[in-house]
């Protein structure tokens, strides 16, 4: 079938979309306190490799625990 994506193309497209959104997914599942900001960074700058890596690193970090002085 020329001109059609086919099943393998559809699976590849879905996999790429999932990988693109992976930082936002990780932030959401970890209940990160900046999950919405990570989503915004991922959507706006994720197409650049640097923006995607920054969003992924941010999603994987934990906030510092503030101990009483």
């Amino acid at each position: 079938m020329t001109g059609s994506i086919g099943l393998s193309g559809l699976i590849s497209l879905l996999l790429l979309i999932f990988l693109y959104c992976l930082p936002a997914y990780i932030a959401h599942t970890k209940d990160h306190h900046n999950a919405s900001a990570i989503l915004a960074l991922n959507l706006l700058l994720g197409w650049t490799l640097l923006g995607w890596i920054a969003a992924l690193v941010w999603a994987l970090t934990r906030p510092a625990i503030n101990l009483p002085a």
Side-chain angles (χ1 to χ4, degrees):
M1 294 191 302
T2 59
S4 67
I5 294 176
L7 183 60
S8 63
L10 181 62
I11 291 172
S12 298
L13 180 64
L14 291 175
L15 181 63
L16 286 174
I17 290 171
F18 176 74
L19 288 176
Y20 181 80
C21 297
L22 187 62
Y25 177 75
I26 290 171
H28 176 71
T29 56
K30 289 179 63 172
D31 198 28
H32 198 285
H33 68 284
N34 286 328
S36 59
I38 294 170
L39 173 64
L41 175 65
N42 191 192
L43 290 177
L44 296 175
L45 294 176
W47 60 272
T48 67
L49 184 60
L50 187 60
W52 187 87
I53 291 172
L56 181 64
V57 169
W58 193 9
L60 293 173
T61 59
R62 281 188 282 175
I65 299 172
N66 294 330
L67 298 175

